[in-house]
Structure formats: structure tokens, C-alpha cells
Amino acid sequence: MQFEAQVEWNRNGQDFHGQRYSRAHAWHFDGGATVPASSSPLSVPLPMSDAAAVDPEEALVAAASSCHMLFFLSIAAKRGHTVDAYRDNAIGLLGKNAQGKMAMTRITLRPAITFAGTAPPGAEELEAIHHEAHDKCYIANTLNCDVVVEAP
């Protein structure tokens, strides 16, 4: 399988060598979605970044959360549970890794899940579903940092 994204940026006459150029750019995906992207204002101060755009660090955290959620939903359905709502307030920590390089050092997923019906999974089964989802998540399997699930 192959996945593609087109990333597009233009200088628009700005001072490139003086580092006075916008980091705003666009991500284009095969289904037609375009996402405004930029460096984080924490990395490159305004106005050279766009605070309203998605930065790569946020995208990585969202990708890890989304991947985990999609596997969780599939596994829950196979086990006969109906999920009505899933919300994750995921957090990524950027810091120095063991080699002293800046890296995403930890991603914490904190899903809050609402199940339909009178018999939602118990704590042990819920933990097992999260464990299986984490084990199957392509993104978590790709990352070098810890991806931790803190489910209630």
C-alpha cells in the first residue's frame, strides 16, 4: 500500500536568506481535502508562522489518536459493543530524545468513550480493547516515542 500527500509552499518574494518568509503552506490529499499548515508559532514566531494552521507536531499527535480510535471502534464493534461517542484530548510532548535531538518524546491518548446499551465493556475488557488497538495502530508501530493510553 502507498499513501500520498502533496505539500505546497511558495516564497512569494519574501526575504528567504534573512529567514523572513512565511512558513504557511498547504497539505493536499488524494480525496480532495486541503489543510492549511505551518510551523508552530512555538518554533517560528508570528508572523512567520500561522497560528490558525495545523503544524506537523499537532498532525502527528492527531494521526496517532485517530489511528488508535479507528482500531478501537473496529475492535469494539467486533466484540459486540456499540460506541456512541469517542473523544480524545491527546497530548504530544516535544523534547530531547536519548540522542539529544529534538523529537516527540511521548504522546498520551486520553480517550473518553460513551457506549450505547446497558452492558458496556468492563474495565478489564476496555483495557484489552485499548491494548489491541494500540498493538494494531500503524502510527504507534512507526513511532520511536512512547504512545500511552490513559483511559478511565
Side-chain angles (χ1 to χ4, degrees):
M1 285 188 273
Q2 179 174 306
F3 300 89
E4 296 182 28
Q6 181 186 49
V7 177
E8 184 177 9
W9 172 87
N10 290 294
R11 181 170 63 91
N12 294 323
Q14 295 175 321
D15 180 7
F16 190 74
H17 293 282
Q19 299 288 316
R20 302 288 307 160
Y21 59 91
S22 174
R23 277 35 170 216
H25 56 284
W27 297 340
H28 303 283
F29 298 97
D30 61 357
T34 295
V35 176
S38 176
S39 60
S40 168
L42 300 174
S43 300
V44 178
L46 299 171
M48 298 298 105
S49 60
D50 180 356
V54 177
D55 61 64
E57 297 84 0
E58 292 171 323
L60 181 64
V61 172
S65 174
S66 182
C67 185
H68 182 88
M69 178 198 70
L70 292 168
F71 277 109
F72 183 94
L73 296 174
S74 175
I75 295 161
K78 286 178 186 171
R79 290 180 177 222
H81 301 291
T82 301
V83 176
D84 276 342
Y86 185 111
R87 175 179 289 210
D88 186 2
N89 293 313
I91 296 174
L93 296 178
L94 189 67
K96 291 199 175 181
N97 65 13
Q99 293 76 33
K101 296 180 180 184
M102 290 302 290
M104 196 63 69
T105 58
R106 182 181 179 98
I107 296 174
T108 302
L109 308 180
R110 298 176 302 160
I113 304 155
T114 304
F115 291 91
T118 57
E124 192 173 298
E125 185 177 11
L126 190 58
E127 184 178 330
I129 296 170
H130 277 299
H131 180 77
E132 186 178 347
H134 179 72
D135 192 52
K136 290 183 174 187
C137 174
Y138 313 136
I139 305 299
N141 290 336
T142 301
L143 298 173
N144 289 327
C145 70
D146 291 331
V147 179
V148 179
V149 179
E150 292 180 353

